[in-house]
Amino acid sequence: MILNETYTLSNEVTIPKLGLGTWFIDDDKAAQAAREAVAAGYRNIDTAQAYGNERGVGEGVRTSGVPRGELFVSTKLAAEVKNYDDAAAAIDGSLATLGLNYVDLMLIHSPQPWADFRGGDYAEGNREAWRALEDAYKAGKLRSIGVSNFERRDLENILRTCTVAPQVNQLLVHVGNTPAELIAYCESKGILVEAYSPIAHGEILKNADVAAIAERYSVTVPQLCIRYTLQLGTVSLPKTANPDHMRDNAKVDFVISGEDMDVLRSLRFQDYGDHSAFPVFSGK
C-alpha cells in the first residue's frame, strides 16, 4: 500500500512517498485536516510559513495519537527571507509556531520573493538562507533540508558553496506540466523531487484526454494524476481537507503502462482557471 512506501533521502532519512499538502487550508481547519490524514494512514504532512497554517498543522500532529517519530513534517522558509539572521530567526519561529522540537524537512520556498518570482538575482541571499538551514540541520532542529521552485541555475548556486547539499526540491509537477530535464538533473545530484499540486489545482478534472485514460484503469482522474507523479519517482503531495478525498487519493496501487506514461508526459496543460492569477504558487 502506497501509504507504507518510502523513499530514502541522500542523508539516509526516509520520507513517505505520499503526503498531504495543506496549501489553502485555513489555520483553524488545519489541525483537523492533519488529524484526519493521520487517521487515514498518512505519515507525511507538508506546510509552509506562507500558508499561515503552521499553528494548526502542528496542533494536528501533536494531537494525532501517533508518536511524533512516526510522522514526517515539512515546512518552508518564507520566499522573502534572503539573509542569514532573518532565516535563522524564521526557522526557530516555525518550530515555535508548530509547537515541535524538530522538523523533518525545511525548504527555501522560492529562489525569489513572490513579488519578483523568476525575476532578479538573489543568489547571495539564497546562499545566506541556505547557510542558516545548514546550521539548523547540524544543530538537530531539522532532519533534512531542501528547496522549492528552484531551477537548475538556482541549485547550482547552492551546490557551489554548500557544506550540506539540498536533499529535496519541491516543484510544480503534474500531468501537463512535467519538467523532465529538471527532474533528471535533480536525480543526478541525489536530490529527491516532491510534486506539489499533482492534480493541477483541480482544473485537470475537466481534461477529456486524461479522463479517458483514467477510465481505462477504472480509477478517478485525481488517482491517475497522483499515480503519474509517483511513477516519475517523486513524492506526491495532493492537497485536501476532505477525509473522503484523502482516502481516495491513497488508492493508487495500480501501475500506469509505459505507453500511457509517455502520453501523459507529453501533454501540455497549464490553464489553472480561477487559480491562474499570480501568485498561484505563493501559498497565499
Side-chain angles (χ1 to χ4, degrees):
M1 184 179 181
I2 194 64
L3 289 171
N4 299 324
E5 295 182 20
T6 61
Y7 296 113
T8 301
L9 301 177
S10 60
N11 64 347
E12 302 304 318
V13 168
T14 57
I15 177 172
K17 290 184 177 183
L18 182 65
L20 177 76
T22 63
W23 180 34
F24 277 136
I25 298 178
D26 292 339
D27 194 43
D28 61 351
K29 297 179 176 65
Q32 185 61 22
R35 284 191 292 264
E36 295 278 9
V38 173
Y42 286 74
R43 295 296 180 263
N44 182 352
I45 312 290
D46 178 85
T47 182
Q49 292 173 358
Y51 298 174
N53 61 14
E54 285 182 317
R55 185 211 60 79
V57 168
E59 178 189 331
V61 168
R62 296 192 312 273
T63 60
S64 68
V66 170
R68 172 68 184 92
E70 295 180 17
L71 301 176
F72 192 100
V73 180
S74 305
T75 193
K76 306 176 195 73
L77 185 68
E80 295 72 24
V81 177
K82 298 299 179 196
N83 66 72
Y84 179 90
D85 289 342
D86 287 350
I91 293 165
D92 288 341
S94 274
L95 290 169
T97 303
L98 287 159
L100 302 177
N101 294 326
Y102 67 90
V103 169
D104 297 279
L105 172 64
M106 192 161 192
L107 313 172
I108 298 175
H109 205 160
S110 167
Q112 300 88 19
W114 296 116
D116 193 27
F117 188 62
R118 302 297 187 223
D121 181 3
Y122 298 90
E124 179 60 27
N126 284 319
R127 289 193 296 269
E128 286 296 295
W130 185 256
R131 189 161 61 88
L133 285 181
E134 287 182 327
D135 287 350
Y137 172 76
K138 293 169 185 175
K141 298 175 182 179
L142 313 173
R143 294 183 66 229
S144 49
I145 52 178
V147 295
S148 182
N149 298 299
F150 271 49
E151 296 182 329
R152 178 170 176 160
R153 65 178 180 272
D154 305 311
L155 289 165
E156 289 173 342
N157 172 56
I158 298 295
L159 290 168
R160 274 194 294 272
T161 60
C162 64
T163 60
V164 180
Q167 288 130 7
V168 167
N169 189 11
Q170 188 177 121
L171 301 169
L172 178 68
V173 180
H174 58 75
V175 172
N177 184 76
T178 307
E181 289 185 9
L182 182 53
I183 292 172
Y185 175 75
C186 290
E187 186 176 326
S188 75
K189 297 297 181 182
I191 300 169
L192 180 69
V193 172
E194 291 188 312
Y196 72 80
S197 298
I199 310 172
H201 314 301
E203 287 297 309
I204 206 162
L205 299 175
K206 304 170 185 175
N207 187 289
D209 294 332
V210 177
I213 295 175
E215 187 174 354
R216 288 210 304 273
Y217 289 90
S218 300
V219 298
T220 66
V221 168
Q223 287 166 341
L224 180 79
C225 291
I226 292 164
R227 184 67 206 180
Y228 172 75
T229 55
L230 291 166
Q231 286 188 216
L232 290 174
T234 72
V235 171
S236 194
L237 296 171
K239 169 261 162 184
T240 183
N242 183 313
D244 292 332
H245 291 170
M246 291 176 192
R247 287 187 284 271
D248 286 343
N249 288 346
K251 295 175 182 176
V252 292
D253 293 304
F254 61 98
V255 177
I256 302 170
S257 72
E259 181 180 0
D260 284 336
M261 283 294 292
D262 289 341
V263 171
L264 294 170
R265 197 181 284 111
S266 69
L267 291 176
R268 297 292 175 267
F269 177 84
Q270 295 171 307
D271 177 5
Y272 303 120
D274 292 341
H275 295 299
S276 292
F278 186 81
V280 65
F281 308 132
S282 73
K284 297 181 180 178

